[in-house]
Amino acid sequence: MNESAYENYSTGRLNDAFEFCEGYKNFVSTAKTEREVIIQTIKIAEENGFVNIKEYLKNNNRLKPGDKIYDINMNKAMILAVIGDEKLENGLNIVGSHIDSPRLDLKSTPIYEEGNICLLDTHYYGGIKKYQWTALPLALHGVIVKKDGTKINVCYGENENDPVFGISDLLPHLDKEKRTEVVTGEELNLIAGTIPDKNSTKEKVKQNIINLLKEKGIDKEDLFSSEIEAVPAGKARDFGLDKSMIMAYGQDDRVCAYASIMAIINSETPKKTSICLLVDKEEIGSAGATGMKSVFFENFVADIISLTTNYSDLKVRHCLKNSKMISSDVTAGYDPNRPTPFNKETEAYLGRGIAFCKYTGSKGKNDASDANPEYIAQIRQILDNNGIFYQASEMGKVEAGGGGTISKLMAIYDMDVIDAGVPVISMHAPWEITAKVDIYETYLTYKTFYHFMQ
Ligand code: MN
Ligand code: MN
């Protein structure tokens, strides 16, 4: 448990891991918003025989073991399920991750001009170190919805012929205040242009950008009904001379999401029904209709009960209570460049496989979801039986900080939950680092969990 997985890795398994990560790099390069994750996942799901649950509900078609279904919530949250042999009241095996990532959201009226430069005002989303988001190429991803309901998909800055956007930073020569780590939220404004519209009388540069938007069928007022996210431009890349790692935007938590999607896609008819849960808004407290605090998941469970048996509220409650869950989220990997907040004995390390965190929370386990040892013992048993590389870890020193995931929100249903996922270095930075073997072992863990957890 406390050594590099490579020490005991076969060449075949290494090749499999590297090959699996080619698919992941492709996924995480194109799925940079919640909506883009959903689009990619529907494609993968439908290619693998998953059917929208609406088709079943419309005709009251009964669900049977082996049936593969999915449900979508407002294009930003999703559930995939493979119906198992056992009745649903016996519980589900759930792997749940979040598909939102830190970024800069455009404000509702973002366009303004200052110093002959047109800028776009943003409000950052999630926990970011603001200085990290300056002086790097950013792309705009999202949707604009016109009053008549027409939807314009925005993906600007990824094609090499597209322009990129970005936030300026002071040259070191003039940064006398040494504001290295104190860029404020209001200073995160995207630079969008410098050419004036000569026919205009004031704010000429701003007017020129408004004209350019108009040419694309977008009125500046349409930005009120839009959801546009500025994210790092560019694709996921192999990282390190040995290519053992991946550098990409949004790996928290799309790396675990991808592993769980592939695990459910590639699983055979399980004993217990398998669930892959992909939710939004985790980075800002899981609130809102598409976050884990919404009843979307509960409604889905009610739907599948109604499609398999005579519906009763009690059956829904029993199903939830008897379920087991892996809260599939990344954790901090030990960083030799910044070792201060880490306890070397208890951290997750890159290359040691999937990292299990018995509890989340911070400083005295505050607000933690703390997994039961009975449940952990069951997990150890099935992982060891199947030769999975895993590690037990904490996130940082006791008083260093901490964090939460969706686990505590699922534990409310009185089900067993534990956190487990891929260790990440530079988490929440524009470019995050993961190790390929950890991603592959995470995938194998979820697959094993779906198949064997009782
Ligand atoms: Mn996360
Ligand atoms: Mn996060």
Side-chain angles (χ1 to χ4, degrees):
M1 236 165 95
N2 286 325
E3 61 181 358
S4 166
Y6 293 104
E7 301 284 345
N8 296 297
Y9 234 59
S10 67
T11 315
R13 193 158 177 150
L14 192 64
N15 289 339
D16 290 347
F18 274 50
E19 200 181 306
F20 181 82
C21 286
E22 289 304 305
Y24 167 59
K25 283 192 306 189
N26 199 20
F27 177 85
V28 81
S29 297
T30 44
K32 290 190 172 184
T33 66
E34 309 76 9
R35 287 170 187 266
E36 289 170 352
V37 171
I38 299 298
I39 290 166
Q40 293 292 325
T41 308
I42 293 173
K43 190 166 168 280
I44 296 169
E46 290 188 343
E47 282 168 5
N48 286 276
F50 283 70
V51 174
N52 193 318
I53 193 171
K54 283 197 181 76
E55 299 298 317
Y56 283 82
L57 292 168
K58 198 164 59 187
N59 311 310
N60 196 28
N61 283 349
R62 309 310 283 170
L63 283 169
K64 55 182 190 312
D67 282 359
K68 299 170 173 186
I69 51 169
Y70 70 85
D71 197 3
I72 297 164
N73 184 14
M74 298 177 179
N75 300 313
K76 291 192 278 190
M78 184 168 178
I79 297 168
L80 295 91
V82 179
I83 306 300
D85 288 321
E86 290 184 22
K87 59 179 181 177
L88 290 167
E89 294 97 295
N90 289 0
L92 314 163
N93 286 334
I94 306 162
V95 179
S97 44
H98 67 93
I99 55 175
D100 58 318
S101 296
R103 79 262 172 167
L104 311 175
D105 287 342
L106 288 202
K107 288 186 178 176
S108 299
T109 53
I111 313 173
Y112 72 101
E113 176 175 340
E114 201 181 318
N116 291 346
I117 292 176
C118 180
L119 299 103
L120 304 174
D121 207 348
T122 72
H123 194 136
Y124 66 96
Y125 174 99
I128 60 166
K129 293 162 85 172
K130 291 155 204 132
Y131 72 90
Q132 293 178 337
W133 291 74
T134 63
L136 83 164
L138 298 172
L140 297 178
H141 289 235
V143 290
I144 299 169
V145 187
K146 307 277 289 181
K147 275 193 284 186
D148 65 1
T150 320
K151 208 176 267 188
I152 300 168
N153 283 312
V154 177
C155 179
Y156 210 48
E158 297 294 350
N159 190 307
E160 63 176 326
N161 298 318
D162 286 348
V164 290
F165 303 82
I167 293 157
S168 49
D169 195 8
L170 272 179
L171 59 170
H173 320 60
L174 294 180
D175 202 359
K176 287 279 186 286
E177 298 162 46
K178 297 272 181 266
R179 304 180 336 128
T180 326
E181 301 206 6
V182 291
V183 172
T184 69
E186 276 303 342
E187 289 169 334
L188 298 175
N189 306 306
L190 296 168
I191 290 179
T194 54
I195 297 178
D197 171 6
K198 289 182 190 163
N199 300 319
S200 186
T201 49
K202 58 171 182 136
E203 298 193 310
K204 295 179 176 186
V205 181
K206 174 179 169 179
Q207 191 54 48
N208 189 52
I209 293 294
I210 290 170
N211 298 345
L212 288 173
L213 287 174
K214 192 86 183 161
E215 282 171 23
K216 294 176 187 294
I218 300 161
D219 297 322
K220 75 176 195 308
E221 291 77 16
D222 291 335
L223 294 176
F224 180 33
S225 48
S226 77
E227 199 168 79
I228 298 179
E229 307 176 8
V231 299
K235 294 181 174 181
R237 307 281 293 268
D238 284 338
F239 191 73
L241 196 60
D242 60 7
K243 299 183 178 178
S244 62
M245 293 164 283
I246 291 171
M247 181 179 250
Y249 163 68
Q251 302 209 65
D252 173 11
D253 186 31
R254 293 176 193 134
V255 65
C256 295
Y258 182 76
S260 68
I261 294 162
M262 297 318 283
I264 200 163
I265 296 295
N266 293 324
S267 59
E268 284 148 33
T269 306
K271 288 196 216 63
K272 292 198 170 176
T273 294
S274 305
I275 301 281
C276 167
L277 177 60
L278 308 171
V279 293
D280 180 25
K281 298 286 183 280
E282 192 274 344
E283 295 293 357
I284 56 168
S286 296
T290 52
M292 194 65 245
K293 285 178 184 165
S294 112
V295 293
F296 169 57
F297 171 68
E298 218 173 302
N299 287 350
F300 176 83
V301 173
D303 273 335
I304 58 173
I305 297 237
S306 79
L307 291 170
T308 49
T309 173
N310 291 326
Y311 178 83
S312 85
D313 180 53
L314 199 60
K315 285 178 184 168
V316 174
R317 288 164 189 257
H318 286 164
C319 174
L320 290 166
K321 185 203 159 36
N322 292 325
S323 293
K324 298 223 161 67
M325 187 201 188
I326 293 179
S327 169
S328 157
D329 206 343
V330 299
T331 189
Y334 178 78
D335 180 357
N337 273 328
R338 306 296 295 270
T340 317
F342 295 103
N343 176 337
K344 279 188 187 172
E345 302 304 316
T346 56
E347 298 306 332
Y349 285 81
L350 258 61
R352 288 187 185 175
I354 182 171
F356 280 82
C357 294
K358 182 175 183 292
Y359 48 87
T360 54
S362 60
K363 298 186 177 181
K365 294 194 175 181
N366 187 42
D367 214 19
S369 173
D370 200 341
N372 292 313
E374 292 86 347
Y375 179 43
I376 300 175
Q378 256 189 307
I379 286 178
R380 287 175 58 209
Q381 179 75 1
I382 60 170
L383 294 187
D384 286 342
N385 283 349
N386 290 281
I388 307 285
F389 293 88
Y390 63 97
Q391 50 185 323
S393 67
E394 313 259 326
M395 197 172 87
K397 285 177 181 165
V398 172
E399 307 284 7
T405 66
I406 61 169
S407 53
K408 63 181 179 185
L409 300 171
M410 295 296 276
I412 290 169
Y413 295 114
D414 197 16
M415 68 173 76
D416 268 313
V417 185
I418 189 165
D419 278 275
V422 177
V424 174
I425 287 180
S426 300
M427 197 199 294
H428 285 205
W431 299 99
E432 302 173 316
I433 300 159
T434 53
K436 290 180 180 175
V437 289
D438 300 335
I439 298 171
Y440 190 59
E441 294 303 312
T442 298
Y443 159 72
L444 292 178
T445 296
Y446 298 163
K447 223 176 138 193
T448 305
F449 174 79
Y450 282 141
H451 197 75
F452 292 102
M453 180 49 69
Q454 271 304 300

